[in-house]
Each structure stands twice: as C-alpha cells, then as structure tokens.
Amino acid sequence: QVQVVESGGGLVQAGGSLRLSCVASTRTYTTYGMAWFRQAPGEREFVSAISWNGGDTYYGDSVKGRFTMTRENNENTMYLQMNNLRPEDTADYYCAVHRPTLPLTDWSAAQRSSYDYWGQGTQVTVSS
C-alpha cells in the first residue's frame, strides 16, 4: 500500500503562483504513474498526470500552459507548479497513485478509476 501526503496549498491572488507537493511513503512509488485531481463543489476533476520516470505528462484542458507537473524519484516526491492562477482554480487538490497494472495513457490518466490510492488533499483558494 502506498500512502501519499499533499502540501503547499494556500490563498493566492489571481495571477499568482503556488507549488503543490506530494510525498509518497514508499520507494516503490518510483514505479508508479502519479496524478493530481481537484475538487470544488461537484465532481473530482483531472488536472495532470506523469509517468513513472517523468517522461510523459498529461494535462486537463483547463490547466494546459499554466500548470507543470514534475517528479523527483530520489525524494519520493512529485510537484505541481501552478502559474497564472484563476479564481476557477479554487479547489481541494488531491494526489493519486496510478494502478501499476494499467498502462498510463492519455485516456487512463483522466479516469478516477485508474487510481488506487489517494491523499487527503490540500486546499487552494484563488481570490479575484
């Protein structure tokens, strides 16, 4: 079982930046794809995903060109750099671990059912 803990959320003005972090509890994390989802009132929305070695990344349409996902496997940590934040980015942001038995693709990355483990979330609030 993999446990993940998010951090880095907070309050920022529109146009500002935040960097979220997600730390995994096990070194086997380095073999898993990872993702960020977010949830405002309503459904949990796909934000971004990254392959086990960082070679492939996927983004939701609403964040393309503004958010960047990276990972540092030697630190069991992945990051979400969020630039040019908008009020509509306000949400709880969740880190998730992709099923290792499922290939990480553009389609699977965006499906909540592709992920086995989830963090508790970190809150991001963007004021206008």
Side-chain angles (χ1 to χ4, degrees):
Q1 185 169 353
V2 180
Q3 293 181 323
V4 290
V5 179
E6 307 94 336
S7 63
L11 174 64
V12 64
Q13 289 188 331
S17 298
L18 281 175
R19 189 176 79 156
L20 305 183
S21 300
C22 173
V23 179
S25 61
T26 173
R27 290 199 62 81
T28 58
Y29 144 89
T30 60
T31 64
Y32 296 97
M34 302 288 292
W36 289 97
F37 282 72
R38 67 186 182 187
Q39 187 167 13
E43 288 195 0
R44 195 164 290 190
E45 176 191 11
F46 170 70
V47 174
S48 63
I50 191 166
S51 60
W52 70 275
N53 62 355
D56 296 302
T57 51
Y58 308 91
Y59 296 95
D61 289 340
S62 61
V63 306
K64 282 180 182 176
R66 300 187 299 122
F67 291 11
T68 303
M69 187 173 182
T70 57
R71 65 191 297 166
E72 295 290 343
N73 283 346
N74 60 349
E75 298 175 357
N76 289 8
T77 303
M78 68 166 182
Y79 302 98
L80 183 67
Q81 178 66 43
M82 306 186 296
N83 297 329
N84 192 20
L85 282 161
R86 304 167 181 169
E88 53 265 38
D89 295 317
T90 295
D92 292 325
Y93 283 71
Y94 297 88
C95 175
V97 182
H98 196 268
R99 293 182 179 182
T101 56
L102 185 68
L104 179 64
T105 65
D106 193 37
W107 180 86
S108 74
Q111 308 303 312
R112 285 175 291 167
S113 60
S114 298
Y115 299 88
D116 279 335
Y117 304 108
W118 297 79
Q120 294 300 305
T122 185
Q123 187 174 53
V124 172
T125 303
V126 184
S127 63
S128 58

